[in-house]
Amino acid sequence: MRGKFDNIVATVGDTPIVKINRLAPDHVTMWAKLEAFNPLGSVKDRLAMGIIEAAEASGELRPGQTVIEATSGNTGIGLAMVCAAKGYPFISVMVETFSVERRKLMRFLGAKVILTPKGAKGLGMVAKARELAEANGWFMARQFENPANADVHEHTTAREIMSAFEGERLDYFVSGYGTGGTMTGIARVLRAERPETKIITTEPDGAALLSDGRAQERREDGSASGSHPAWAPHMIQGWTPDFIPLVAQESIDNGYIDEVVPVSAEASFSAAQALAQQEGIFCGISCGATFAAALDVAKRADAGSVILCTLPDTGERYLSTPLFADIEAEMTEQEWQMAHSTPTAQLERS
Ligand code: PMP
């Protein structure tokens, strides 16, 4: 995608699908769709565009009306970008545990950020956003229930995948879920047009809601009425809130999911670092997690299998998180020795 665009929102989507060359087992072919190429660096730019444009079209969102959303960060950053470009004030409500980079990015884009206590979990931030929307007559994006979420993936992400793999094998599609928009939107199209493609989802091993199998309790509007009993706090930001979102529920109810692969935080961090250091693909924690699950599938797959995974965002969003905990800021012993092996511009050790 190159050339001229009417505005930044028009650059959302059409992200590249890149071959995994050094980390893929020899007997398979692996591809990754890099959502970091969206203008604000994540898959959620698509959702932001989809929800705002659907609400504009239906008249639910009026010119200049304030937009509010409960978000783990990337949705807020995407909405802040779309709202800035289209002239809507935007307020993001997020749990205090999400990375500081996310808050600062949203504020830089002109948004207001309201933090909620971690004890109140994901549902606490949703309840706060709903309350503020009702009290002030603001438009709430409702990413966990809004049909425009999976729709935008059905109409953009899935179409991009269909055209990239037209006439070619695609044996496995691997995706995690936060709202489930990516998974459900793509699964709708794969099930209709590529029924042979196995759909694999993945979730944190310590918050394995889908693997658990117990149903999510809901209100009449489809929103979750309480935390799922299998949930526990986990390190994979953007994945698996403390409830099964209605958007993800569609994939369960329609039998779209062939297998659920649980992934640990450690496997996610090391897969993200391996992608960076051996493929040059710089991405975030949920990308590492998705790729770890895709590798697990790859190892078990028949020879010649083709595996595609979606990598939701960029690693730059995690500098203050445990993803970078082992990354030194100071020179190592080996670097000191290199620096002192020639005479010019040597630092003195303190
Ligand atoms: N990874 C990250 C980093 C995210 O922010 C999100 C969205 N919350 C996801 C994965 C999951 O995407 P979806 O909401 O489409 O399921």
Side-chain angles (χ1 to χ4, degrees):
M1 188 169 65
R2 296 280 184 273
K4 288 151 96 187
F5 296 87
D6 281 344
N7 54 58
I8 194 71
V9 182
T11 71
V12 172
D14 224 350
T15 54
I17 296 174
V18 176
K19 194 172 184 179
I20 303 298
N21 293 296
R22 301 176 63 202
L23 293 172
D26 287 342
H27 71 288
V28 300
T29 307
M30 295 180 80
W31 297 93
K33 190 160 174 59
L34 306 187
E35 291 299 307
F37 278 71
N38 282 301
L40 258 293
S42 95
V43 68
K44 307 311 291 251
D45 292 353
R46 295 182 190 261
L47 163 135
M49 174 186 74
I51 285 182
I52 295 298
E53 292 189 347
E56 284 175 335
S58 71
E60 207 188 332
L61 177 60
R62 299 183 305 278
Q65 191 181 0
T66 296
V67 174
I68 187 167
E69 182 58 335
T71 154
S72 64
N74 280 331
T75 296
I77 293 164
L79 279 168
M81 173 264 298
V82 172
C83 288
K86 288 175 173 278
Y88 302 104
F90 174 62
I91 297 167
S92 168
V93 182
M94 67 193 277
V95 182
E96 59 180 335
T97 45
F98 295 121
S99 72
V100 170
E101 291 90 321
R102 294 175 184 224
R103 299 179 204 170
K104 289 207 171 189
L105 269 166
M106 281 184 255
R107 290 198 161 121
F108 199 89
L109 285 157
K112 302 250 180 299
V113 178
I114 292 175
L115 300 177
T116 55
K118 71 174 176 198
K121 301 192 247 185
L123 278 173
M125 78 175 173
V126 176
K128 171 60 80 185
R130 191 184 296 126
E131 229 172 65
L132 284 167
E134 278 165 15
N136 296 287
W138 294 335
F139 170 77
M140 183 162 162
R142 293 171 50 248
Q143 59 169 337
F144 298 106
E145 294 91 35
N146 197 327
N149 178 355
D151 288 353
V152 75
H153 288 285
E154 178 183 348
H155 297 131
T156 68
T157 332
R159 295 311 343 155
E160 294 161 29
I161 293 170
M162 285 306 118
S163 73
F165 287 89
E166 198 180 342
E168 293 177 20
R169 257 178 97 160
L170 181 58
D171 301 284
Y172 295 92
F173 169 70
V174 184
S175 169
Y177 68 92
T179 62
T182 311
M183 167 176 77
T184 297
I186 295 171
R188 280 181 193 161
V189 175
L190 285 174
R191 274 296 172 260
E193 300 177 26
R194 301 292 294 252
E196 77 285 2
T197 304
K198 296 243 177 316
I199 297 171
I200 315 293
T201 194
T202 166
E203 57 186 3
D205 60 356
L209 274 50
L210 301 190
S211 309
D212 178 83
R214 274 175 285 182
Q216 175 66 51
E217 289 175 5
R218 299 188 188 283
R219 294 197 187 81
E220 240 167 62
D221 66 359
S223 63
S225 56
S227 293
H228 192 281
W231 193 82
H234 63 81
M235 311 275 278
I236 307 175
Q237 293 190 23
W239 265 20
T240 318
D242 58 308
F243 54 94
I244 301 174
L246 188 66
V247 175
Q249 187 70 43
E250 178 184 330
S251 281
I252 304 168
D253 293 347
N254 291 350
Y256 290 156
I257 302 165
D258 291 295
E259 188 185 341
V260 184
V261 177
V263 175
S264 72
E266 297 69 37
S268 310
F269 295 152
S270 59
Q273 239 188 67
L275 278 169
Q277 297 183 356
Q278 294 181 60
E279 300 285 345
I281 295 175
F282 183 44
C283 61
I285 301 171
S286 69
C287 302
T290 310
F291 188 69
L295 266 183
D296 178 71
V297 169
K299 285 174 190 154
R300 294 182 273 124
D302 290 342
S305 293
V306 178
I307 299 148
L308 168 69
C309 63
T310 47
L311 302 186
D313 70 354
T314 163
E316 258 170 79
R317 215 141 280 177
Y318 301 92
L319 288 167
S320 69
T321 75
L323 182 61
F324 278 77
D326 299 334
I327 305 299
E328 288 291 335
E330 304 305 326
M331 277 206 278
T332 63
E333 187 52 41
Q334 191 190 21
E335 288 161 351
W336 274 112
Q337 282 173 15
M338 273 189 235
H340 282 257
S341 66
T342 64
T344 310
Q346 288 183 355
L347 273 181
E348 287 310 314
R349 284 196 191 214
S350 52

